[in-house]
C-alpha cells in the first residue's frame, strides 16, 4: 500500500547512514532481524544482484516483498500477478539462498554449507556430514544426489513457510 511504501522509504533513509541514496551491505546489517538470522548474510547478498555493491529503493522493496507477512484479510484478485510473498515465491527465494552456483540444484556441498550456518557450533563435523546426507537423501527423489527445486518444494510441503519466512521490517 502507499502508506507502507512511505514507511519503507523512511526506513530506507534511516538505514542509509551517509545519505548516499542507496544502501550497501553494512547498512543492511543494521536490520536486527537479519543480524540475528543465521542466513542473514546470504539474505543480504540477495539484495545485490550481479556483484553490485549498492541497492536502491526499488531493489530494496523488491527483495523485502518476499518477506512480507501474508495478510489473511488481503483479497486475492485471481487476475493479479502472483504476489512476491506467495508461498511459491518465498520458496523460490529460499531455494536460491542454498543454490549458490545457480545451477537449479542444491548439491550435497551446498546443503552442507547452509546447514553449517544454521546448526552453529554445537555439532561436530562428523554429525554435520551425516545430517547433510540424511537431509539430501530424504528430499532427493530421483536419486541424482542433489535437491532440485521441485524436490525442495515437496520436502517442505508440511512446513509453515508463510510463517517462517516472514520478517517484520517495519515496527
Ligand atoms: Ca547448485
Ligand atoms: Ca534429485
Amino acid at each position: 500500500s502507499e502508506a507502507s511504501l512511505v514507511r519503507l522509504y523512511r526506513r530506507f533513509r534511516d538505514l542509509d547512514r551517509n545519505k548516499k541514496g542507496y544502501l550497501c551491505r553494512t547498512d543492511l546489517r543494521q536490520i536486527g532481524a537479519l543480524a540475528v538470522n543465521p542466513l542473514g548474510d546470504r539474505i543480504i547478498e540477495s539484495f545485490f544482484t550481479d556483484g553490485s555493491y549498492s541497492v536502491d529503493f526499488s531493489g530494496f522493496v523488491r527483495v523485502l516483498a518476499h518477506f512480507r507477512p501474508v495478510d489473511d484479510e488481503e483479497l486475492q484478485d485471481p487476475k493479479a500477478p502472483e504476489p512476491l510473498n506467495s508461498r511459491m515465491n518465498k520458496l523460490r527465494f529460499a531455494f536460491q539462498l542454498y543454490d549458490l552456483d545457480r545451477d537449479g540444484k542444491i548439491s550435497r556441498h551446498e546443503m552442507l554449507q547452509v546447514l553449517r550456518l544454521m546448526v552453529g557450533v554445537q555439532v561436530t563435523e562428523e554429525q554435520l556430514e551425516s545430517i547433510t546426507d540424511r537431509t539430501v537423501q530424504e528430499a532427493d527423489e530421483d536419486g541424482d544426489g542433489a535437491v532440485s527445486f521441485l524436490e525442495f518444494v515437496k520436502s517442505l510441503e508440511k512446513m509453515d513457510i508463510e510463517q517462517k519466512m516472514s520478517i517484520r521490517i517495519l515496527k
Side-chain angles (χ1 to χ4, degrees):
S1 70
E2 206 177 310
S4 50
L5 269 179
V6 169
R7 288 167 68 211
L8 266 182
Y9 187 62
R10 242 178 257 142
R11 186 83 168 104
F12 178 87
R13 281 199 320 204
D14 286 347
L15 289 168
D16 177 11
R17 284 171 306 176
N18 310 317
K19 305 288 162 254
K20 308 177 288 298
Y22 61 83
L23 301 179
C24 59
R25 288 170 174 79
T26 335
D27 295 326
L28 290 172
R29 289 200 187 99
Q30 300 175 94
I31 301 175
L34 292 181
V36 299
N37 190 305
L39 295 180
D41 275 345
R42 292 218 178 174
I43 295 170
I44 286 174
E45 280 311 311
S46 60
F47 284 88
F48 303 95
T49 41
D50 309 322
S52 73
Y53 63 93
S54 64
V55 58
D56 61 10
F57 183 62
S58 74
F60 177 72
V61 170
R62 204 169 317 119
V63 174
L64 286 181
H66 292 92
F67 294 103
R68 195 163 61 85
V70 180
D71 191 345
D72 291 336
E73 290 133 58
E74 247 169 77
L75 281 176
Q76 271 286 9
D77 179 353
K79 277 171 286 174
E82 197 183 353
L84 283 172
N85 67 336
S86 72
R87 180 183 171 89
M88 212 35 142
N89 277 325
K90 280 179 190 283
L91 285 167
R92 255 181 225 122
F93 188 88
F95 187 80
Q96 51 98 17
L97 296 177
Y98 288 75
D99 183 19
L100 281 191
D101 68 2
R102 304 268 160 108
D103 71 343
K105 285 175 185 178
I106 304 167
S107 67
R108 184 185 179 282
H109 182 65
E110 286 169 334
M111 184 67 84
L112 181 84
Q113 287 177 297
V114 170
L115 290 174
R116 178 175 287 135
L117 292 171
M118 294 203 293
V119 298
V121 289
Q122 311 94 305
V123 300
T124 66
E125 194 62 27
E126 209 171 295
Q127 287 169 317
L128 188 61
E129 298 268 344
S130 86
I131 295 169
T132 304
D133 285 337
R134 221 177 317 133
T135 310
V136 173
Q137 270 164 28
E138 271 168 22
D140 182 18
E141 290 201 322
D142 64 5
D144 69 346
V147 181
S148 67
F149 180 63
L150 276 181
E151 290 168 341
F152 183 76
V153 170
K154 264 195 130 174
S155 71
L156 294 175
E157 224 155 41
K158 287 180 201 78
M159 198 193 266
D160 186 4
I161 293 295
E162 286 86 345
Q163 198 53 41
K164 278 205 163 51
M165 276 196 66
S166 295
I167 295 178
R168 293 224 174 253
I169 205 80
L170 298 166
K171 281 150 259 177

